[in-house]
Amino acid sequence: EAVVSSQSTGLLNVPDNFLDLFGLYKNLTQGQYNDIFTHYDTDCDGYLSGDEVMELVADMMRKVEFDLSVAELQKLSERVTRVMDLNSDGKLSKGELAELFFTESQLSSFSRPTSSS
């Protein structure tokens, strides 16, 4: 079984780990966070879902040098979506995903659109 490690999953044809541009995601500005979200929102619908979430999670795991099989990556991506998807619409809005990148005190200073379905 294939293992996700230092190579891109190829799901979104992303050649390099885009998250490398942002260090370990600490002290991101809102603009940097918006860039991350936009990068992974390849269908430009304003949400991350399916392969978009999987590519983001794969990059996050590679960033911390944690190897996962494709099956494990898929399960983890589904779990991230389930946990972060506050309105249970099966996709992650920019506001929902922000919960993964920022502490509660940092979140209070960001404009987070409310999720509605």
Side-chain angles (χ1 to χ4, degrees), residues 50-76:
D51 288 348
E52 295 167 329
V53 174
M54 196 160 154
E55 192 67 42
L56 172 65
V57 170
D59 278 354
M60 293 176 81
M61 293 297 97
R62 281 191 296 271
K63 183 72 177 160
V64 295
E65 299 179 1
F66 193 86
D67 292 342
L68 294 175
S69 69
V70 173
E72 291 169 327
L73 177 62
Q74 184 170 3
K75 285 181 186 178
L76 180 57

PDB file of all heavy atoms in Angstrom, residues 50-76:
ATOM      1  N   GLY A  50     -13.616  16.807   0.495  1.00  0.00           N
ATOM      2  CA  GLY A  50     -13.035  15.673  -0.207  1.00  0.00           C
ATOM      3  C   GLY A  50     -11.534  15.734  -0.374  1.00  0.00           C
ATOM      4  O   GLY A  50     -10.782  15.810   0.594  1.00  0.00           O
ATOM      5  N   ASP A  51     -11.096  15.701  -1.649  1.00  0.00           N
ATOM      6  CA  ASP A  51      -9.670  15.691  -1.953  1.00  0.00           C
ATOM      7  C   ASP A  51      -8.961  16.959  -1.478  1.00  0.00           C
ATOM      8  O   ASP A  51      -7.765  16.929  -1.180  1.00  0.00           O
ATOM      9  CB  ASP A  51      -9.431  15.522  -3.456  1.00  0.00           C
ATOM     10  CG  ASP A  51      -9.742  14.112  -3.947  1.00  0.00           C
ATOM     11  OD1 ASP A  51      -9.916  13.206  -3.111  1.00  0.00           O
ATOM     12  OD2 ASP A  51      -9.823  13.927  -5.183  1.00  0.00           O
ATOM     13  N   GLU A  52      -9.667  18.078  -1.409  1.00  0.00           N
ATOM     14  CA  GLU A  52      -9.053  19.327  -0.928  1.00  0.00           C
ATOM     15  C   GLU A  52      -8.626  19.174   0.529  1.00  0.00           C
ATOM     16  O   GLU A  52      -7.511  19.561   0.904  1.00  0.00           O
ATOM     17  CB  GLU A  52     -10.031  20.494  -1.072  1.00  0.00           C
ATOM     18  CG  GLU A  52     -10.375  20.818  -2.510  1.00  0.00           C
ATOM     19  CD  GLU A  52     -11.562  21.753  -2.639  1.00  0.00           C
ATOM     20  OE1 GLU A  52     -12.475  21.727  -1.790  1.00  0.00           O
ATOM     21  OE2 GLU A  52     -11.572  22.527  -3.623  1.00  0.00           O
ATOM     22  N   VAL A  53      -9.504  18.613   1.358  1.00  0.00           N
ATOM     23  CA  VAL A  53      -9.167  18.386   2.766  1.00  0.00           C
ATOM     24  C   VAL A  53      -8.044  17.361   2.867  1.00  0.00           C
ATOM     25  O   VAL A  53      -7.100  17.527   3.639  1.00  0.00           O
ATOM     26  CB  VAL A  53     -10.393  17.920   3.583  1.00  0.00           C
ATOM     27  CG1 VAL A  53      -9.998  17.558   5.011  1.00  0.00           C
ATOM     28  CG2 VAL A  53     -11.479  18.987   3.583  1.00  0.00           C
ATOM     29  N   MET A  54      -8.126  16.331   2.038  1.00  0.00           N
ATOM     30  CA  MET A  54      -7.111  15.283   2.076  1.00  0.00           C
ATOM     31  C   MET A  54      -5.733  15.830   1.719  1.00  0.00           C
ATOM     32  O   MET A  54      -4.734  15.484   2.355  1.00  0.00           O
ATOM     33  CB  MET A  54      -7.499  14.138   1.143  1.00  0.00           C
ATOM     34  CG  MET A  54      -6.735  12.876   1.391  1.00  0.00           C
ATOM     35  SD  MET A  54      -7.638  11.490   0.683  1.00  0.00           S
ATOM     36  CE  MET A  54      -6.304  10.362   0.389  1.00  0.00           C
ATOM     37  N   GLU A  55      -5.657  16.707   0.737  1.00  0.00           N
ATOM     38  CA  GLU A  55      -4.372  17.290   0.353  1.00  0.00           C
ATOM     39  C   GLU A  55      -3.832  18.180   1.475  1.00  0.00           C
ATOM     40  O   GLU A  55      -2.635  18.155   1.780  1.00  0.00           O
ATOM     41  CB  GLU A  55      -4.506  18.087  -0.948  1.00  0.00           C
ATOM     42  CG  GLU A  55      -3.176  18.479  -1.550  1.00  0.00           C
ATOM     43  CD  GLU A  55      -2.372  17.294  -2.054  1.00  0.00           C
ATOM     44  OE1 GLU A  55      -2.931  16.380  -2.662  1.00  0.00           O
ATOM     45  OE2 GLU A  55      -1.139  17.309  -1.840  1.00  0.00           O
ATOM     46  N   LEU A  56      -4.687  18.955   2.111  1.00  0.00           N
ATOM     47  CA  LEU A  56      -4.274  19.792   3.234  1.00  0.00           C
ATOM     48  C   LEU A  56      -3.748  18.934   4.380  1.00  0.00           C
ATOM     49  O   LEU A  56      -2.669  19.194   4.923  1.00  0.00           O
ATOM     50  CB  LEU A  56      -5.437  20.661   3.722  1.00  0.00           C
ATOM     51  CG  LEU A  56      -5.194  21.442   5.020  1.00  0.00           C
ATOM     52  CD1 LEU A  56      -4.098  22.486   4.833  1.00  0.00           C
ATOM     53  CD2 LEU A  56      -6.482  22.088   5.495  1.00  0.00           C
ATOM     54  N   VAL A  57      -4.488  17.898   4.742  1.00  0.00           N
ATOM     55  CA  VAL A  57      -4.071  17.008   5.831  1.00  0.00           C
ATOM     56  C   VAL A  57      -2.765  16.308   5.461  1.00  0.00           C
ATOM     57  O   VAL A  57      -1.858  16.182   6.298  1.00  0.00           O
ATOM     58  CB  VAL A  57      -5.183  16.005   6.188  1.00  0.00           C
ATOM     59  CG1 VAL A  57      -4.679  14.936   7.146  1.00  0.00           C
ATOM     60  CG2 VAL A  57      -6.384  16.736   6.787  1.00  0.00           C
ATOM     61  N   ALA A  58      -2.628  15.875   4.208  1.00  0.00           N
ATOM     62  CA  ALA A  58      -1.386  15.235   3.764  1.00  0.00           C
ATOM     63  C   ALA A  58      -0.203  16.183   3.926  1.00  0.00           C
ATOM     64  O   ALA A  58       0.861  15.794   4.422  1.00  0.00           O
ATOM     65  CB  ALA A  58      -1.514  14.782   2.308  1.00  0.00           C
ATOM     66  N   ASP A  59      -0.380  17.437   3.523  1.00  0.00           N
ATOM     67  CA  ASP A  59       0.698  18.416   3.676  1.00  0.00           C
ATOM     68  C   ASP A  59       1.020  18.655   5.147  1.00  0.00           C
ATOM     69  O   ASP A  59       2.182  18.791   5.524  1.00  0.00           O
ATOM     70  CB  ASP A  59       0.332  19.738   3.002  1.00  0.00           C
ATOM     71  CG  ASP A  59       0.592  19.726   1.501  1.00  0.00           C
ATOM     72  OD1 ASP A  59       1.169  18.742   0.994  1.00  0.00           O
ATOM     73  OD2 ASP A  59       0.216  20.708   0.843  1.00  0.00           O
ATOM     74  N   MET A  60      -0.007  18.692   5.990  1.00  0.00           N
ATOM     75  CA  MET A  60       0.227  18.893   7.421  1.00  0.00           C
ATOM     76  C   MET A  60       1.010  17.714   7.998  1.00  0.00           C
ATOM     77  O   MET A  60       1.933  17.913   8.804  1.00  0.00           O
ATOM     78  CB  MET A  60      -1.095  19.079   8.160  1.00  0.00           C
ATOM     79  CG  MET A  60      -1.799  20.370   7.793  1.00  0.00           C
ATOM     80  SD  MET A  60      -3.411  20.533   8.565  1.00  0.00           S
ATOM     81  CE  MET A  60      -2.911  21.102  10.187  1.00  0.00           C
ATOM     82  N   MET A  61       0.682  16.504   7.593  1.00  0.00           N
ATOM     83  CA  MET A  61       1.378  15.322   8.098  1.00  0.00           C
ATOM     84  C   MET A  61       2.816  15.282   7.590  1.00  0.00           C
ATOM     85  O   MET A  61       3.734  14.951   8.339  1.00  0.00           O
ATOM     86  CB  MET A  61       0.631  14.042   7.704  1.00  0.00           C
ATOM     87  CG  MET A  61      -0.728  13.883   8.366  1.00  0.00           C
ATOM     88  SD  MET A  61      -0.655  13.733  10.173  1.00  0.00           S
ATOM     89  CE  MET A  61      -0.993  15.414  10.685  1.00  0.00           C
ATOM     90  N   ARG A  62       3.016  15.641   6.328  1.00  0.00           N
ATOM     91  CA  ARG A  62       4.387  15.694   5.807  1.00  0.00           C
ATOM     92  C   ARG A  62       5.201  16.756   6.528  1.00  0.00           C
ATOM     93  O   ARG A  62       6.394  16.581   6.775  1.00  0.00           O
ATOM     94  CB  ARG A  62       4.368  15.963   4.302  1.00  0.00           C
ATOM     95  CG  ARG A  62       4.050  14.742   3.474  1.00  0.00           C
ATOM     96  CD  ARG A  62       4.312  14.977   1.993  1.00  0.00           C
ATOM     97  NE  ARG A  62       3.441  15.994   1.428  1.00  0.00           N
ATOM     98  CZ  ARG A  62       2.245  15.744   0.908  1.00  0.00           C
ATOM     99  NH1 ARG A  62       1.770  14.522   0.910  1.00  0.00           N
ATOM    100  NH2 ARG A  62       1.519  16.722   0.397  1.00  0.00           N
ATOM    101  N   LYS A  63       4.555  17.853   6.874  1.00  0.00           N
ATOM    102  CA  LYS A  63       5.250  18.955   7.547  1.00  0.00           C
ATOM    103  C   LYS A  63       5.845  18.496   8.874  1.00  0.00           C
ATOM    104  O   LYS A  63       6.933  18.920   9.254  1.00  0.00           O
ATOM    105  CB  LYS A  63       4.268  20.119   7.762  1.00  0.00           C
ATOM    106  CG  LYS A  63       4.890  21.334   8.373  1.00  0.00           C
ATOM    107  CD  LYS A  63       5.782  22.033   7.396  1.00  0.00           C
ATOM    108  CE  LYS A  63       6.340  23.291   8.015  1.00  0.00           C
ATOM    109  NZ  LYS A  63       7.533  23.730   7.325  1.00  0.00           N
ATOM    110  N   VAL A  64       5.141  17.624   9.578  1.00  0.00           N
ATOM    111  CA  VAL A  64       5.643  17.124  10.861  1.00  0.00           C
ATOM    112  C   VAL A  64       6.301  15.750  10.701  1.00  0.00           C
ATOM    113  O   VAL A  64       6.541  15.048  11.683  1.00  0.00           O
ATOM    114  CB  VAL A  64       4.526  17.078  11.937  1.00  0.00           C
ATOM    115  CG1 VAL A  64       4.049  18.479  12.251  1.00  0.00           C
ATOM    116  CG2 VAL A  64       3.380  16.174  11.525  1.00  0.00           C
ATOM    117  N   GLU A  65       6.589  15.385   9.433  1.00  0.00           N
ATOM    118  CA  GLU A  65       7.283  14.146   9.096  1.00  0.00           C
ATOM    119  C   GLU A  65       6.596  12.919   9.680  1.00  0.00           C
ATOM    120  O   GLU A  65       7.226  12.036  10.263  1.00  0.00           O
ATOM    121  CB  GLU A  65       8.753  14.226   9.524  1.00  0.00           C
ATOM    122  CG  GLU A  65       9.490  15.346   8.823  1.00  0.00           C
ATOM    123  CD  GLU A  65      10.938  15.472   9.225  1.00  0.00           C
ATOM    124  OE1 GLU A  65      11.411  14.676  10.060  1.00  0.00           O
ATOM    125  OE2 GLU A  65      11.601  16.369   8.684  1.00  0.00           O
ATOM    126  N   PHE A  66       5.282  12.861   9.515  1.00  0.00           N
ATOM    127  CA  PHE A  66       4.482  11.746   9.999  1.00  0.00           C
ATOM    128  C   PHE A  66       3.945  11.006   8.786  1.00  0.00           C
ATOM    129  O   PHE A  66       3.167  11.556   8.008  1.00  0.00           O
ATOM    130  CB  PHE A  66       3.326  12.267  10.867  1.00  0.00           C
ATOM    131  CG  PHE A  66       2.641  11.203  11.651  1.00  0.00           C
ATOM    132  CD1 PHE A  66       3.123  10.827  12.896  1.00  0.00           C
ATOM    133  CD2 PHE A  66       1.503  10.590  11.156  1.00  0.00           C
ATOM    134  CE1 PHE A  66       2.483   9.844  13.638  1.00  0.00           C
ATOM    135  CE2 PHE A  66       0.857   9.605  11.888  1.00  0.00           C
ATOM    136  CZ  PHE A  66       1.351   9.231  13.129  1.00  0.00           C
ATOM    137  N   ASP A  67       4.394   9.769   8.596  1.00  0.00           N
ATOM    138  CA  ASP A  67       4.003   8.992   7.424  1.00  0.00           C
ATOM    139  C   ASP A  67       2.680   8.277   7.655  1.00  0.00           C
ATOM    140  O   ASP A  67       2.455   7.672   8.697  1.00  0.00           O
ATOM    141  CB  ASP A  67       5.079   7.953   7.091  1.00  0.00           C
ATOM    142  CG  ASP A  67       6.365   8.577   6.598  1.00  0.00           C
ATOM    143  OD1 ASP A  67       6.332   9.755   6.181  1.00  0.00           O
ATOM    144  OD2 ASP A  67       7.404   7.898   6.622  1.00  0.00           O
ATOM    145  N   LEU A  68       1.803   8.365   6.664  1.00  0.00           N
ATOM    146  CA  LEU A  68       0.511   7.690   6.706  1.00  0.00           C
ATOM    147  C   LEU A  68       0.285   6.947   5.401  1.00  0.00           C
ATOM    148  O   LEU A  68       0.696   7.415   4.339  1.00  0.00           O
ATOM    149  CB  LEU A  68      -0.629   8.710   6.850  1.00  0.00           C
ATOM    150  CG  LEU A  68      -0.735   9.514   8.123  1.00  0.00           C
ATOM    151  CD1 LEU A  68      -1.845  10.550   7.995  1.00  0.00           C
ATOM    152  CD2 LEU A  68      -1.013   8.604   9.302  1.00  0.00           C
ATOM    153  N   SER A  69      -0.386   5.815   5.485  1.00  0.00           N
ATOM    154  CA  SER A  69      -0.821   5.149   4.260  1.00  0.00           C
ATOM    155  C   SER A  69      -1.947   5.989   3.666  1.00  0.00           C
ATOM    156  O   SER A  69      -2.535   6.833   4.347  1.00  0.00           O
ATOM    157  CB  SER A  69      -1.310   3.735   4.560  1.00  0.00           C
ATOM    158  OG  SER A  69      -2.528   3.791   5.291  1.00  0.00           O
ATOM    159  N   VAL A  70      -2.270   5.745   2.426  1.00  0.00           N
ATOM    160  CA  VAL A  70      -3.359   6.478   1.781  1.00  0.00           C
ATOM    161  C   VAL A  70      -4.668   6.223   2.528  1.00  0.00           C
ATOM    162  O   VAL A  70      -5.464   7.138   2.737  1.00  0.00           O
ATOM    163  CB  VAL A  70      -3.463   6.110   0.288  1.00  0.00           C
ATOM    164  CG1 VAL A  70      -4.697   6.743  -0.342  1.00  0.00           C
ATOM    165  CG2 VAL A  70      -2.210   6.557  -0.447  1.00  0.00           C
ATOM    166  N   ALA A  71      -4.894   4.986   2.956  1.00  0.00           N
ATOM    167  CA  ALA A  71      -6.118   4.652   3.702  1.00  0.00           C
ATOM    168  C   ALA A  71      -6.168   5.407   5.028  1.00  0.00           C
ATOM    169  O   ALA A  71      -7.226   5.930   5.418  1.00  0.00           O
ATOM    170  CB  ALA A  71      -6.200   3.154   3.945  1.00  0.00           C
ATOM    171  N   GLU A  72      -5.036   5.475   5.724  1.00  0.00           N
ATOM    172  CA  GLU A  72      -4.983   6.218   6.994  1.00  0.00           C
ATOM    173  C   GLU A  72      -5.214   7.706   6.754  1.00  0.00           C
ATOM    174  O   GLU A  72      -5.903   8.366   7.526  1.00  0.00           O
ATOM    175  CB  GLU A  72      -3.636   6.009   7.682  1.00  0.00           C
ATOM    176  CG  GLU A  72      -3.424   4.622   8.213  1.00  0.00           C
ATOM    177  CD  GLU A  72      -1.993   4.368   8.661  1.00  0.00           C
ATOM    178  OE1 GLU A  72      -1.051   4.929   8.054  1.00  0.00           O
ATOM    179  OE2 GLU A  72      -1.813   3.604   9.619  1.00  0.00           O
ATOM    180  N   LEU A  73      -4.632   8.224   5.674  1.00  0.00           N
ATOM    181  CA  LEU A  73      -4.812   9.632   5.332  1.00  0.00           C
ATOM    182  C   LEU A  73      -6.277   9.927   5.042  1.00  0.00           C
ATOM    183  O   LEU A  73      -6.818  10.938   5.494  1.00  0.00           O
ATOM    184  CB  LEU A  73      -3.943  10.001   4.136  1.00  0.00           C
ATOM    185  CG  LEU A  73      -4.087  11.427   3.616  1.00  0.00           C
ATOM    186  CD1 LEU A  73      -3.674  12.433   4.689  1.00  0.00           C
ATOM    187  CD2 LEU A  73      -3.259  11.613   2.363  1.00  0.00           C
ATOM    188  N   GLN A  74      -6.929   9.040   4.332  1.00  0.00           N
ATOM    189  CA  GLN A  74      -8.338   9.240   4.018  1.00  0.00           C
ATOM    190  C   GLN A  74      -9.171   9.242   5.298  1.00  0.00           C
ATOM    191  O   GLN A  74     -10.035  10.098   5.482  1.00  0.00           O
ATOM    192  CB  GLN A  74      -8.833   8.169   3.061  1.00  0.00           C
ATOM    193  CG  GLN A  74     -10.266   8.396   2.627  1.00  0.00           C
ATOM    194  CD  GLN A  74     -10.675   7.469   1.499  1.00  0.00           C
ATOM    195  OE1 GLN A  74      -9.920   6.611   1.061  1.00  0.00           O
ATOM    196  NE2 GLN A  74     -11.876   7.647   1.016  1.00  0.00           N
ATOM    197  N   LYS A  75      -8.904   8.303   6.198  1.00  0.00           N
ATOM    198  CA  LYS A  75      -9.637   8.252   7.469  1.00  0.00           C
ATOM    199  C   LYS A  75      -9.405   9.507   8.292  1.00  0.00           C
ATOM    200  O   LYS A  75     -10.339  10.065   8.868  1.00  0.00           O
ATOM    201  CB  LYS A  75      -9.229   7.017   8.283  1.00  0.00           C
ATOM    202  CG  LYS A  75      -9.804   5.737   7.766  1.00  0.00           C
ATOM    203  CD  LYS A  75      -9.373   4.567   8.627  1.00  0.00           C
ATOM    204  CE  LYS A  75      -9.827   3.259   8.027  1.00  0.00           C
ATOM    205  NZ  LYS A  75      -9.378   2.105   8.811  1.00  0.00           N
ATOM    206  N   LEU A  76      -8.155   9.967   8.344  1.00  0.00           N
ATOM    207  CA  LEU A  76      -7.835  11.167   9.108  1.00  0.00           C
ATOM    208  C   LEU A  76      -8.520  12.384   8.492  1.00  0.00           C
ATOM    209  O   LEU A  76      -9.074  13.227   9.209  1.00  0.00           O
ATOM    210  CB  LEU A  76      -6.328  11.378   9.188  1.00  0.00           C
ATOM    211  CG  LEU A  76      -5.852  12.602   9.964  1.00  0.00           C
ATOM    212  CD1 LEU A  76      -6.380  12.580  11.408  1.00  0.00           C
ATOM    213  CD2 LEU A  76      -4.335  12.679   9.945  1.00  0.00           C
TER     214      LEU A  76
END
